[in-house]
Amino acid sequence: MQQTARTVVIYEHGGPEVLKIEDRPLGGPGPGEVRIRHHTCGLNFIDIYQRIGLYPMDLPHALGMEAAGVIEAVGEGVTHLEHGQRAAYAAAPAGAYSAARVMPAAQVCPLPDGISFDAAAAMMLKGMTVEYLFHRTTPLKRGDTVLFHAAAGGVGLIACQWAKSEGITLIGTAGTDEKCSLAQFNGAAHCINYRTEDFVERVTEITGGKGVDVVMDSIGADTFNGSLNCLKPLGMMISFGNASGSVPLIDIGMLAKKGSLKITRPTLFTHLADHAVCQAMARRLFGKVEGGEVKIHIDQRFPLDQVADAQRALETRQTTGSTVLEP
């Protein structure tokens, strides 16, 4: 009798109502693949972007980019994983919202015994995002100042702790005083409530008119222009998400007028495409967590059957820290 696995699938783009749960066939891994049984699945904004069609995909398609569990079977040519091993990943193609799946092995990472499945599923995509923002996008050094939007979210709380561990001053933004307090508790030097304060004015005040070295902006349309105005001359704008919609078109000459600014739009999956880089990024993240420099906050849990509610909560910014799904 053929095995199946409960899996979240979309047949059309749209709101949370398009999310369907069905039993999908589960075969054995082919060359370069593994079959992994999930203990916990992660929830991320990229899942919403794929659901609504901002990041197009061929339909029907399973959703989810992040999970942790146990390797059930290993295909030919896979040498870094073995049957029964604990593992976690943030990887394409989508399909992590499931009880189990067969997938390419290259971006699946051996999971240290000291890190729980829950923590791993909550941190792989978010933590490796912080890793590339701080170590692979533009040189950052102790004493630099960074403006980080959505500082109380899953990526943000990791970034606050990461910055503090490396002597980087992080100025966060968040939408409530409670979220600002959470960001500061986790290492943000300052946090600005963007609903009650003008974040550009506050950044100018905090930096004594100098501006910040780097902006890390996952919000997009609502914050993009203001973010540019927070940079010091020769500063770097890292736009890495679109939570409020796509950023507006810009006149590249504006970057010169504002002080020879630099801008980039990186993605995590460009970095993860290289197997060796992916594994190195994961090891650095695991080291931060095992060393106690970064603690993973799981503030919301949903059973897989309630995935639509989970996505609504994330989409409407009703969450803090990370959210996980339990298959």
Side-chain angles (χ1 to χ4, degrees):
M1 184 175 178
Q2 187 178 42
Q3 290 190 64
T4 61
R6 294 175 72 248
T7 304
V8 176
V9 182
I10 60 169
Y11 285 83
E12 59 182 324
H13 295 299
E17 69 279 357
V18 304
L19 298 165
K20 310 296 181 186
I21 300 178
E22 60 186 35
D23 290 326
R24 286 200 145 191
L26 184 67
E33 294 181 332
V34 294
R35 187 173 71 222
I36 182 169
R37 177 71 52 178
H38 294 149
H39 281 240
T40 316
C41 312
L43 182 78
N44 296 282
F45 260 102
I46 189 173
D47 310 337
I48 293 169
Y49 301 157
Q50 291 173 340
R51 189 200 77 216
I52 66 177
L54 181 63
Y55 294 174
M57 58 200 323
D58 293 332
L59 301 180
H61 208 297
L63 286 188
M65 306 295 289
E66 174 184 48
V70 175
I71 301 298
E72 285 192 335
V74 176
E76 180 183 352
V78 177
T79 59
H80 70 293
L81 297 165
E82 60 186 27
H83 175 269
Q85 188 169 18
R86 304 170 79 250
Y89 66 86
Y97 287 2
S98 60
R101 68 184 294 200
V102 172
M103 64 182 295
Q107 279 67 52
V108 180
C109 305
L111 180 64
D113 290 339
I115 299 176
S116 70
F117 291 120
D118 285 3
M123 76 182 191
M124 291 299 289
L125 191 146
K126 303 168 191 69
M128 290 197 289
T129 294
V130 175
E131 199 274 355
Y132 89 71
L133 290 173
F134 278 77
H135 294 279
R136 299 174 191 274
T137 307
T138 190
L140 284 171
K141 62 184 183 302
R142 182 173 295 274
D144 282 348
T145 300
V146 169
L147 173 63
F148 200 101
H149 291 294
V155 179
L157 291 182
I158 295 174
C160 289
Q161 297 173 78
W162 202 294
K164 185 175 181 180
S165 75
E166 299 191 352
I168 293 166
T169 298
L170 186 144
I171 303 170
T173 71
T176 68
D177 289 342
E178 292 75 16
K179 288 184 176 183
C180 284
S181 295
L182 181 60
Q184 288 185 276
F185 181 80
N186 280 274
H190 310 271
C191 195
I192 303 162
N193 184 338
Y194 63 80
R195 297 189 190 279
T196 60
E197 299 181 282
D198 184 312
F199 74 84
V200 179
E201 291 181 1
R202 284 287 290 125
V203 167
T204 300
E205 178 184 337
I206 291 167
T207 62
K210 295 179 181 178
V212 299
D213 298 285
V214 178
V215 176
M216 299 178 180
D217 188 341
S218 63
I219 302 301
D222 289 352
T223 52
F224 182 78
N225 288 325
S227 292
L228 289 176
N229 291 331
C230 290
L231 286 167
K232 64 174 54 173
L234 303 178
M236 168 66 84
M237 170 70 174
I238 305 173
S239 176
F240 70 102
N242 317 281
S244 66
S246 298
V247 302
L249 296 176
I250 66 168
D251 173 5
I252 196 169
M254 175 180 63
L255 301 178
K257 294 175 184 177
K258 290 181 179 292
S260 300
L261 303 182
K262 294 164 283 188
I263 186 168
T264 184
R265 180 48 172 100
T267 71
L268 171 63
F269 296 100
T270 304
H271 295 280
L272 298 186
D274 183 287
H275 168 72
V277 171
C278 172
Q279 300 297 320
M281 291 172 70
R283 287 193 296 271
R284 193 197 298 266
L285 172 61
F286 294 154
K288 289 281 187 184
V289 174
E290 289 189 297
E293 293 176 301
V294 170
K295 299 183 186 304
I296 305 303
H297 296 261
I298 301 173
D299 295 337
Q300 298 80 213
R301 296 174 183 272
F302 293 84
L304 192 63
D305 290 344
Q306 295 177 16
V307 61
D309 292 335
Q311 285 206 357
R312 285 189 189 97
L314 180 63
E315 199 168 12
T316 57
R317 305 186 194 181
Q318 300 302 306
T319 65
T320 57
S322 296
T323 302
V324 296
L325 300 170
E326 298 170 340

